[in-house]
Amino acid sequence: MAKSRVYQSQDYPRHPFTLSSNDISHQLKTNDQTGLNRSQVEEAQKNHGPNKLDGEGGVQWYKVLLKQVSNAMILVLVLAMALSYGVTDYIEGGVITAVIVLNVVIGFYQEFQAEKKMDSLRALSSPSAAVIRDGHVVTIPSGEVVPGDLVLIKTGDTVPADLRLIDSMNLECDEKILTGEAMPVAKDAKIDFSNNTEVETGVGDRLNMAYSSSTVTMGRAKGIVVFTGMFTEIGKIAESMQGQSRKANRSLSWKKGGSMQPAKGFLLRIWDGTGAFLGLTVGTPLQRKLSKLAYVLFGCAILLAIIVFGVNRFNVTKEVAIYAISTGIAIIPEALIAVLTITMVVGMTQMRKRRVVIRQLSALEALGGVTNICSDKTGTLTQGQMITRKAWLPGVGMYTVNDAEDAADPTKGNVSLGPSPDIVKSESEKKGIKFDLGREDTPNASSAKLAPAEDTSTHNGARQLPEVTPELQEFLQSTALCNLATVRHDEQKNEWQAIGDPTEIALQVFAHRFGFGKKSLEEEHAWTELAEYPFDSSIKRMSVIYLQDGSDKAQIFTKGAVERVIDLCTDLGTGTNHRALTSAVKEEVLTRMNLLAEQGLRVMAVARRQFDASIDRHSPPPRESIEEGLTLLGLVGLYDPPRFETRGAVRECTTAGIKVHMLTGDHPSTASAIAREVGILPANISHLAQKTAASLVKTASEFDALSDAEIDAMPTLPLVIARCAPSTKTRMIAALHRRRAFCAMTGDGVNDAPSLQSADVGIAMGLTGSDVAKGASDIVLTDDNFASIVAAIEEGRRMFDNIQKFILHLLTSNIAEVVLLIVGLGFQDSTGFSVFPLSPLQILWINMLTSSFPAFGLGREKAGSDIMRRPPHDTKRGVFSWQIIVDMTVYGIIMGACTLLTFVIIVYGPGDGQLGVDCNRAYSPPCDVVFRARAAVFAELTWLILVCAWEFKHLRRSVFALDPDTKRERRVPFFTDIYSNRFLFYAVAVGAASVFPAVYIPGLNTAVFKHMGIGWEWALSAGSVVVFVAGVEAWKACKRRFGWFAVGEEAEEEKLGLRQGLVSFTRSFSRSKSMGSESGGGEKV
């Protein structure tokens, strides 16, 4: 293997599955709590290389080269070259040969580099790994994992490398890719194989190992990476994994499809190969569409050649053949595919800078057309940094945490205990969300600054907290043990570190404040976990079974959504506060939940029960038999403030004609409170029609209970769906599609994969998302931020606009050349042969050099100031809108008419109609007028093409006022606007200057380009530029004046009187604390 020759071999005294976790940690010099440090990672990467299989991914150079050779432009040039050699015009044939070679080489280099760039960007969205390095959990591409890394895996993840498990809970892995067995394999990190050998224990029986490329179907685990790349088990059989599967019906076996299958399969394979070779069946929809356009134009080139032959009565002489070559070359936009490829690479790069990774290139084209965004709340619209703010214990009171700014630090903040508030909304609660909930100032409240948790010996015992009552103790045990998060203090760095889900971190930190952390309970109080029932988004709860040494009865701890947990409870409270959970008591609990939820808190219920039966760790009882007969211990309110940038992003969506929907698992009141704060819901809905107001917020059960017809009859689809299940997301997408919406959907869990695939643009979370969700998505957010979605849409619109601009630029010049040459068929010399106004090499020069670089520049054009102030584009029409089609026709005709008029004035004015003899082949004194006219037309067409690149910076605005912002700042913004894109500016400037050497260099002008130096004719060329600009400006003015091709209609939400983002907001968490306290409220801002 090539890898083993370059990098160090990954060898062990014995196979890692036979070694203890301590032995593995010692050998790899890693820490089973904090993982590797940065220097260790860099050394391992240098010694062991990337975690990839040989030949995995990468760009195949020969495919890129074949793509260059097979495009329509090259085929036209090859025909032109053959015709030139056929008529013994060796200079022209040689130049075209050089152009072909140069174009293939340059195109190959550009596209090969572009494909490599795309490949590297796509790799960022490949299966990722959650690793612990320096005590922090970081998410990295699987290719960056090294031996010794401490990896966390959970349901839905793809195992990034071969792991020696050191901790696991209910872990099952699908290893059929290795073993062929369809059933998932149950894993156990504690199994001892020290007395076994590799021969005795096969790959499928090594239950303390998790293998690269297998998927986690259930549970969670932590493991140390022992093998990467070609040293993994999958690497040993890599050859069998790298073949590509064929499409259906491509088999050549008669056994699979009958006697005709070999012939059918052979023909379909030829069809596939031909389509792929020509670029008609591979690539994005836009790439395929442009490939089809190129071959349509190739057909038009042949048709034009036939027209040339027909006008000359099919007397195909050398002169006629050369003219046919000119028309064929003129209609092909040589740079189109190359410009598109490079524009896409630039788009992907810009997306990456804005924390968005593109998995599917088609998403680049689709993003600009998004009309609706369905987003999760936690961590996307909000910060995902939860803090336990309130905890209500029946009969005890309300615990409140204040001034806790660090979500991971249990020593920061104050804890107070006050009586439970009356079940009546206070005036302060009616005001809305409080982004820094204050303490309840009550006479009986006790509070104090906290010393470091679980360290009562420090600070001279100065630590003071509300008394830990039996009720609070049971509550803290439940929140700490029914929890997967880890909170620890790093003595070296003197900082608190937390690993896990933000919700569970908040609960774990709250338990740590009173010295009831999970690690303390397990190690010091001898609690042992027997079974775990992980959180399930469909039932919205989690349970664990624990047994404490000295007790013969296990304890069940449960937490989850209040509505899902309370239905499993039969009683409430403990000790003297214990009572039956009657309907009235249940209603009281739900009312308290609503009071907390309306303050923007995420409310969860905590419960427990005693379990009398014995528990088998390897075969726990069914979940249904565990989660019943529970005792409700209390409610906990978690605070997760909106991200600072979310409100602005929602407002930007509104101005861009995009509607935002929140689909969350939270309680309706919590979701509504946050939705109002960020602008998804209006603060005041009294002005809305009753049916509209009733449609704004729905629970998943309410929405799912409606039929499709009832959903379609709603005046607007819900802006907030609470307690949302994965199936609800899929129904929401279907409802949007029935309303002809083009929607984007976010997701992070395994169950979100169907909705991500159903959406027009599936968006996975890069930090918290599972590999299954990422694999089903089109784009991945590396920061899980809603504002990044809006940034991606803006970038998608920018790229879409730029593609339209350079397509318009390239095809306009082609239309102008065709107009000039077809009309030029009427210019016939004394022998009856047509004299072309432009020679084939002049056309090649213009198409290859003059047009290409401005087109590249237009592809790099920055977004217009109004790009997010107009509706999404029509995804069905794509880039070839009616405006583009009509514009290219109008501008092409104007350009062609200007150049044609120049040729006519020179030849039939001072030239007195002297067309010479055989002027298509070589210079002679009688051809002086024709050669001078060609030079003027060549210079003029070059300048017109360059100037129209500036004109096409905006399809409707005048080139003298491209940006309204700069127009307000400067009286003459023209120079500022055209210089803003420096690549385009210098492409135009250099292109304009290149005309002079092409016209005046002896030999090059007459022998190659078939024109000569000119004098007064320059005035005609320069004057035509003024005429052309006037014509373009007049057409743009007409479009603005009469509203032709104007985009955008009155949005549905405007018809309903509903606009998002434009609301008056309550106090925000982002406001400065220096503003002080509100009078009388006691609440710090």
Side-chain angles (χ1 to χ4, degrees), residues 235-304:
K236 296 175 182 178
I237 55 173
E239 291 77 12
S240 64
M241 295 296 299
Q242 292 173 2
Q244 294 184 350
S245 58
R246 293 191 179 276
K247 296 180 182 179
N249 297 322
R250 268 60 176 179
S251 173
L252 299 181
S253 173
W254 62 269
K255 294 181 180 179
K256 294 185 178 181
S259 58
M260 295 299 294
Q261 183 59 39
K264 181 180 177 182
F266 180 71
L267 291 175
L268 287 174
R269 288 189 186 187
I270 292 177
W271 173 263
D272 291 341
T274 303
F277 179 77
L278 298 177
L280 300 176
T281 58
V282 294
T284 70
L286 179 58
Q287 287 173 323
R288 294 196 296 270
K289 186 179 293 184
L290 292 181
S291 293
K292 292 175 183 176
L293 172 66
Y295 288 104
V296 168
L297 294 177
F298 175 67
C300 292
I302 295 176
L303 180 61
L304 290 174

Side-chain angles (χ1 to χ4, degrees), residues 139-206:
T139 302
I140 61 173
S142 295
E144 296 180 10
V145 169
V146 297
D149 261 330
L150 199 59
V151 176
L152 303 176
I153 55 176
K154 62 184 184 304
T155 303
D157 284 351
T158 299
V159 181
D162 285 3
L163 309 179
R164 169 61 167 90
L165 302 176
I166 60 175
D167 183 32
S168 64
M169 177 53 62
N170 297 344
L171 182 67
E172 292 187 4
C173 295
D174 181 352
E175 297 180 347
K176 62 175 175 286
I177 195 173
L178 280 173
T179 64
E181 294 294 331
M183 294 297 293
V185 179
K187 300 290 184 176
D188 188 348
K190 305 302 182 183
I191 291 183
D192 183 8
F193 288 105
S194 58
N195 297 322
N196 295 55
T197 65
E198 291 184 62
V199 177
E200 295 173 344
T201 311
V203 171
D205 297 325
R206 300 169 188 173

Side-chain angles (χ1 to χ4, degrees), residues 406-482:
D406 187 344
D409 191 345
T411 67
K412 297 291 180 65
N414 301 316
V415 180
S416 61
L417 171 62
S420 301
D422 294 335
I423 308 178
V424 178
K425 287 188 178 180
S426 66
E427 289 301 316
S428 62
E429 287 172 328
K430 292 179 181 178
K431 292 179 182 178
I433 311 168
K434 298 174 178 57
F435 276 86
D436 190 3
L437 299 175
R439 63 178 178 268
E440 298 179 9
D441 294 323
T442 61
N444 298 324
S446 60
S447 65
K449 283 284 184 181
L450 302 179
E454 299 185 343
D455 188 8
T456 57
S457 63
T458 60
H459 300 283
N460 300 318
R463 179 182 174 193
Q464 297 179 8
L465 287 166
E467 179 186 358
V468 179
T469 63
E471 293 88 351
L472 178 60
Q473 179 176 336
E474 291 197 28
F475 181 85
L476 295 174
Q477 287 175 347
S478 299
T479 57
L481 295 176
C482 186

Side-chain angles (χ1 to χ4, degrees), residues 868-919:
M868 294 298 283
R869 295 202 294 267
R870 53 182 169 82
H873 63 254
D874 188 339
T875 54
K876 292 182 179 178
R877 292 181 182 175
V879 294
F880 290 101
S881 63
W882 279 114
Q883 179 171 210
I884 294 297
I885 294 171
V886 175
D887 280 357
M888 72 174 63
T889 304
V890 171
Y891 298 147
I893 291 174
I894 295 174
M895 188 182 294
C898 288
T899 53
L900 188 63
L901 185 61
T902 296
F903 188 84
V904 170
I905 291 174
I906 294 174
V907 172
Y908 291 96
D912 199 24
Q914 294 295 322
L915 292 174
V917 177
D918 201 19
C919 295

Side-chain angles (χ1 to χ4, degrees), residues 428-683:
S428 62
E429 287 172 328
K430 292 179 181 178
K431 292 179 182 178
I433 311 168
K434 298 174 178 57
F435 276 86
D436 190 3
L437 299 175
R439 63 178 178 268
E440 298 179 9
D441 294 323
T442 61
N444 298 324
S446 60
S447 65
K449 283 284 184 181
L450 302 179
E454 299 185 343
D455 188 8
T456 57
S457 63
T458 60
H459 300 283
N460 300 318
R463 179 182 174 193
Q464 297 179 8
L465 287 166
E467 179 186 358
V468 179
T469 63
E471 293 88 351
L472 178 60
Q473 179 176 336
E474 291 197 28
F475 181 85
L476 295 174
Q477 287 175 347
S478 299
T479 57
L481 295 176
C482 186
N483 198 309
L484 305 182
T486 302
V487 177
R488 60 181 295 274
H489 186 263
D490 190 319
E491 300 293 343
Q492 294 181 343
K493 297 182 179 180
N494 192 29
E495 67 177 20
W496 284 89
Q497 298 174 343
I499 298 173
D501 178 80
T503 301
E504 298 196 320
I505 290 175
L507 296 173
Q508 195 67 254
V509 168
F510 184 72
H512 270 71
R513 294 181 184 278
F514 296 88
F516 282 81
K518 182 177 182 178
K519 186 176 181 180
S520 168
L521 291 173
E522 290 181 338
E523 295 181 356
E524 299 175 15
H525 299 276
W527 284 93
T528 302
E529 186 173 8
L530 302 180
E532 177 185 306
Y533 301 86
F535 177 82
D536 187 327
S537 58
S538 62
I539 59 175
K540 301 192 183 318
R541 61 179 178 267
M542 170 191 177
S543 298
V544 294
I545 303 177
Y546 267 83
L547 180 67
Q548 188 175 26
D549 282 1
S551 173
D552 58 350
K553 295 182 179 180
Q555 297 290 330
I556 298 168
F557 303 107
T558 299
K559 73 172 188 296
V562 179
E563 303 96 319
R564 300 300 181 91
V565 173
I566 199 171
D567 288 339
L568 307 175
C569 297
T570 56
D571 45 12
L572 171 77
T574 58
T576 58
N577 296 309
H578 180 269
R579 52 178 169 159
L581 191 64
T582 63
S583 298
V585 174
K586 182 177 180 180
E587 196 63 35
E588 176 188 338
V589 173
L590 292 176
T591 303
R592 293 191 184 281
M593 174 196 68
N594 287 328
L595 289 176
L596 293 174
E598 287 169 2
Q599 299 175 61
L601 298 179
R602 182 179 187 180
V603 187
M604 302 182 71
V606 179
R608 71 183 292 171
R609 66 171 280 208
Q610 185 172 281
F611 194 69
D612 298 329
S614 60
I615 301 293
D616 182 357
R617 295 189 61 178
H618 301 290
S619 181
R623 187 166 196 157
E624 295 76 16
S625 65
I626 292 297
E627 295 175 334
E628 62 178 8
L630 301 174
T631 298
L632 182 66
L633 300 180
L635 305 180
V636 59
L638 308 177
Y639 168 60
D640 183 17
R643 291 179 182 267
F644 304 137
E645 59 271 28
T646 297
R647 289 186 299 173
V650 173
R651 187 183 299 113
E652 194 171 6
C653 286
T654 299
T655 58
I658 302 170
K659 188 183 290 187
V660 181
H661 307 262
M662 177 195 290
L663 278 62
T664 177
D666 278 345
H667 185 273
S669 297
T670 305
S672 298
I674 297 297
R676 277 191 292 271
E677 176 63 20
V678 300
I680 292 176
L681 287 176

Side-chain angles (χ1 to χ4, degrees), residues 709-1008:
E710 290 173 323
I711 292 175
D712 294 341
M714 295 172 69
T716 182
L717 289 176
L719 299 180
V720 175
I721 298 183
R723 297 303 190 207
C724 188
S727 58
T728 310
K729 292 185 175 182
T730 306
R731 285 205 74 195
M732 182 67 170
I733 294 170
L736 286 167
H737 284 164
R738 290 196 299 274
R739 297 190 180 211
R740 301 185 183 280
F742 197 81
C743 60
M745 173 69 75
T746 67
D748 54 10
V750 177
N751 293 337
D752 289 329
S755 61
L756 290 174
Q757 289 180 324
S758 300
D760 299 292
V761 180
I763 304 172
M765 302 295 108
L767 296 178
T768 60
S770 67
D771 286 336
V772 172
K774 293 176 187 177
S777 68
D778 299 299
I779 67 175
V780 176
L781 304 182
T782 60
D783 61 352
D784 293 6
N785 193 339
F786 178 81
S788 296
I789 302 175
V790 182
I793 291 174
E794 179 181 347
E795 186 62 29
R797 290 189 176 192
R798 183 196 72 84
M799 198 191 74
F800 181 88
D801 286 354
N802 290 350
I803 290 174
Q804 283 193 319
K805 292 172 187 176
F806 71 66
I807 286 177
L808 176 61
H809 178 261
L810 292 172
L811 294 183
T812 294
S813 61
N814 290 129
I815 291 175
E817 292 165 8
V818 170
V819 169
L820 178 62
L821 292 174
I822 291 299
V823 177
L825 286 170
F827 302 135
Q828 296 184 344
D829 59 19
S830 56
T831 61
F833 291 111
S834 298
V835 177
F836 46 63
L838 281 176
S839 70
L841 297 185
Q842 283 180 316
I843 295 171
L844 273 180
W845 177 278
I846 290 172
N847 288 359
M848 294 293 295
L849 297 177
T850 303
S851 296
S852 299
F853 291 104
F856 286 130
L858 287 172
R860 299 164 64 93
E861 188 72 10
K862 68 177 184 179
S865 59
D866 65 337
I867 197 164
M868 294 298 283
R869 295 202 294 267
R870 53 182 169 82
H873 63 254
D874 188 339
T875 54
K876 292 182 179 178
R877 292 181 182 175
V879 294
F880 290 101
S881 63
W882 279 114
Q883 179 171 210
I884 294 297
I885 294 171
V886 175
D887 280 357
M888 72 174 63
T889 304
V890 171
Y891 298 147
I893 291 174
I894 295 174
M895 188 182 294
C898 288
T899 53
L900 188 63
L901 185 61
T902 296
F903 188 84
V904 170
I905 291 174
I906 294 174
V907 172
Y908 291 96
D912 199 24
Q914 294 295 322
L915 292 174
V917 177
D918 201 19
C919 295
N920 289 350
R921 291 188 55 123
Y923 173 76
S924 61
C927 296
D928 188 81
V929 173
V930 172
F931 270 52
R932 294 172 70 87
R934 280 189 193 138
V937 170
F938 170 75
E940 178 183 329
L941 187 58
T942 298
W943 289 344
L944 294 184
I945 291 172
L946 295 171
V947 167
C948 77
W950 282 341
E951 282 282 1
F952 297 163
K953 281 167 70 74
H954 200 285
L955 302 185
R956 302 182 66 82
R957 291 202 188 108
S958 168
V959 72
F960 302 105
L962 289 170
D963 191 336
D965 296 335
T966 56
K967 185 179 180 181
R968 285 190 292 267
E969 295 170 3
R970 295 174 176 82
R971 183 170 297 178
V972 184
F974 172 73
F975 298 103
T976 302
D977 290 340
I978 64 170
Y979 192 65
S980 61
N981 185 339
R982 297 192 181 185
F983 184 95
L984 178 59
F985 177 83
Y986 287 113
V988 172
V990 173
S994 68
V995 167
F996 297 100
V999 169
Y1000 285 112
I1001 294 177
L1004 180 67
N1005 53 7
T1006 55
V1008 176

